[in-house]
Amino acid sequence: MKLFFSVGEPSGDLHGANLIRELQRKAGNVDAIGLGGPRMQAAGCQLMRDMTDLAIMGLVPALVKLPEFFKLLAQVEQALKAERPDAVVLIDYPGFNWHVAKKAKALGIPVVYYGLPQLWAWLSYRVEKVRKYIDHPLCKLPFEEAWFRGQGCEATTYVGHPYFDELKAQTLDQQFLEQFKNNPQRLVAILPGSRRSEVQRNFALQIKAARLVHRAVPDVRFAVASYNDQQAAMAAKILGNHDLPLTIIPGKTPELIHAATCCMAVSGSVSLELLYHAKPSVMQYNLAMPSYYIMKHLVRVQYMTLPNLITTPELHPPRTQKYRRGDVVHSHVLFPEYPHWRDRSAQVASHAIEWLQNEPARLDLVRRLEQLRGTLAIGGASSRTADYILQHVVPQVANQARAA
């Protein structure tokens, strides 16, 4: 079985690697090629290109990279013609992956989208691309199957969120955690995001919020959970000389979340990790002013953080607060969130201060997070997706494996 993967985000790299391993376990030899990252390469995928440096957000950065994307798309088309894979598997990265899907469809290659884009949130007219180009749409969130099927994507199947597979398989570094167990100072973890652009846009504001927290709660210390050594160096450069009780630690995000009393994070898939650890957290996402106002008029839902979207009474309320309107935190919101182009450091800090000073309030939030975790963090998405591919996309491979 030969599969072509197109993956462009660090989180997608993780999900792709887990899926490749599940397919190998269930079907034996899997020839995986395409676009991805270091985790997929370690799982046996032959990469045409490491996409780590193309994980970008925002209109202007995307425009700057357009020539590179066009060149890459031409290379993908050539590879599809030369390799003739049994199927193309897309994970996240819709801006580029729609074009890959169109090329594959034109060549008669089945297309699987593992983790459909959140079209219910904004620019939902793009669901037409799912109908036209995606043969096997697989969704991650419970409410998405009904929504996509209601939009004419009848083959949509809910497989669960693959991030929980990784979280359930994690083994925390207990030796590393020992240093926090015997320290009387409580820890606030700062998570500046997995993309370089996120660190560049958000980290300085997170440090500003940390200073406000430290001023109100002096007996606290901070740890920055950097995605890798390169981003740790970037964070250190942005931080410069400082007087905060703060350390920058690469590659230990799960341990720092586990050890923290609360977290200040840049919104993204990390919200699911924070939910898994039932960790009170406040989310922010700083945008360029033009991007903010474009999003404000396009986004159809009130929240950007997945647990908040899952707990909202109505996904599309009659009077939708497009993107954000003010800084209202509704009672059902588990992770207060602040996406804006303006400085929201004071609001971000206020939540961390509340959890550090009001233990009953913090514990009540922990209880609510644990309740949602019990219904959402089911795990098994990688296994279910591998089964789906073997049963519905390339069933001849499964038959051969059983015969052997």
Side-chain angles (χ1 to χ4, degrees):
M1 173 173 57
K2 180 182 289 186
L3 298 176
F4 185 97
F5 284 81
S6 182
V7 180
E9 305 282 353
S11 57
D13 179 34
L14 176 65
H15 306 331
N18 287 336
L19 177 57
I20 291 169
R21 291 191 182 96
E22 278 296 315
L23 286 165
Q24 290 168 339
R25 186 176 67 84
K26 293 173 181 289
N29 185 40
V30 176
D31 187 3
I33 59 174
L35 309 174
R39 289 187 175 96
M40 288 174 58
Q41 188 172 39
C45 185
Q46 182 181 345
L47 295 185
M48 287 174 51
R49 189 191 194 285
D50 186 333
M51 298 289 283
T52 304
D53 65 325
L54 285 179
I56 56 176
M57 287 291 286
L59 181 61
V60 174
L63 290 174
V64 171
K65 292 282 189 179
L66 267 181
E68 191 168 353
F69 281 121
F70 283 130
K71 181 180 178 181
L72 183 60
L73 184 62
Q75 293 171 345
V76 168
E77 184 176 21
Q78 289 176 358
L80 293 177
K81 290 177 179 177
E83 299 289 343
R84 298 301 306 184
D86 296 299
V88 167
V89 180
L90 312 175
I91 302 179
D92 299 330
Y93 218 53
F96 182 75
N97 275 340
W98 293 132
H99 299 285
V100 176
K102 185 176 180 180
K103 297 292 185 186
K105 190 73 172 177
L107 293 169
I109 301 171
V111 180
V112 179
Y113 213 130
Y114 179 30
L116 288 167
Q118 296 170 2
L119 304 184
W120 39 265
W122 69 299
L123 299 180
S124 56
Y125 66 85
R126 294 174 298 167
V127 77
E128 175 66 19
K129 296 180 179 179
V130 180
R131 290 193 291 263
K132 287 177 66 175
Y133 305 131
I134 310 303
D135 303 291
H136 304 280
L138 307 179
C139 61
K140 298 182 288 190
L141 300 174
F143 62 82
E144 289 181 320
E145 183 176 273
W147 188 88
F148 277 101
R149 290 193 174 196
Q151 302 298 313
C153 307
E154 311 241 342
T156 303
T157 302
Y158 170 56
V159 294
H161 206 294
Y163 202 36
F164 290 118
D165 289 353
E166 177 67 16
L167 295 175
K168 286 178 176 292
Q170 277 179 354
T171 301
L172 299 181
D173 185 341
Q174 296 299 326
Q175 185 175 356
F176 176 83
L177 287 171
E178 283 297 321
Q179 64 183 293
F180 300 101
K181 291 180 180 178
N182 301 320
N183 195 311
Q185 286 183 305
R186 288 168 295 173
L187 178 71
V188 176
I190 300 174
L191 291 77
S194 60
R195 302 184 186 95
R196 290 175 60 88
S197 59
E198 290 173 336
V199 179
Q200 290 168 338
R201 189 167 290 280
N202 291 278
F203 185 56
L205 292 175
Q206 289 181 306
I207 293 303
K208 186 174 181 180
R211 293 187 185 280
L212 295 173
V213 173
H214 189 242
R215 188 181 306 164
V217 190
D219 63 332
V220 71
R221 59 180 176 148
F222 304 88
V224 179
S226 287
Y227 179 65
N228 54 30
D229 291 332
Q230 292 75 23
Q231 292 192 13
M234 184 192 306
K237 185 176 180 180
I238 294 170
L239 184 61
N241 295 326
H242 67 93
D243 55 359
L244 283 171
L246 179 149
T247 53
I248 300 173
I249 304 173
K252 293 293 183 184
T253 298
E255 286 81 4
L256 292 176
I257 291 174
H258 180 81
T261 299
C262 60
C263 300
M264 300 189 297
V266 171
S267 183
S269 57
V270 72
S271 66
L272 296 178
E273 188 164 6
L274 295 164
L275 172 64
Y276 186 78
H277 289 275
K279 196 64 57 174
S281 305
V282 54
M283 319 298 290
Q284 69 181 79
Y285 207 105
N286 188 256
L287 296 141
M289 184 173 66
S291 297
Y292 171 79
Y293 283 107
I294 290 170
M295 296 290 284
K296 183 177 180 182
H297 290 288
L298 293 177
V299 170
R300 301 178 59 213
V301 295
Q302 291 178 264
Y303 308 104
M304 65 174 178
T305 306
L306 286 176
N308 295 342
L309 286 165
I310 292 167
T311 58
T312 185
E314 292 183 86
L315 187 62
H316 301 127
R319 298 182 66 184
T320 301
Q321 296 182 3
K322 293 183 178 180
Y323 206 48
R324 289 296 304 173
R325 186 172 64 198
D327 292 318
V328 177
V329 179
H330 297 102
S331 59
H332 65 84
V333 167
L334 297 175
F335 294 135
E337 58 177 59
Y338 297 94
H340 215 282
W341 66 274
R342 296 184 186 275
D343 181 0
R344 289 293 184 261
S345 303
Q347 290 90 332
V348 169
S350 69
H351 295 285
I353 293 168
E354 168 73 6
W355 296 324
L356 291 164
Q357 294 182 335
N358 187 340
E359 184 66 0
R362 190 186 73 84
L363 291 176
D364 180 65
L365 179 54
V366 169
R367 177 187 56 79
R368 293 166 60 202
L369 289 167
E370 289 173 341
Q371 287 177 341
L372 180 60
R373 179 182 65 190
T375 60
L376 185 65
I378 57 175
S382 301
S383 179
R384 282 189 290 274
T385 301
D387 286 337
Y388 180 95
I389 290 173
L390 294 172
Q391 292 168 15
H392 301 286
V393 185
V394 284
Q396 71 278 10
V397 175
N399 293 334
Q400 292 167 1
R402 280 193 290 267

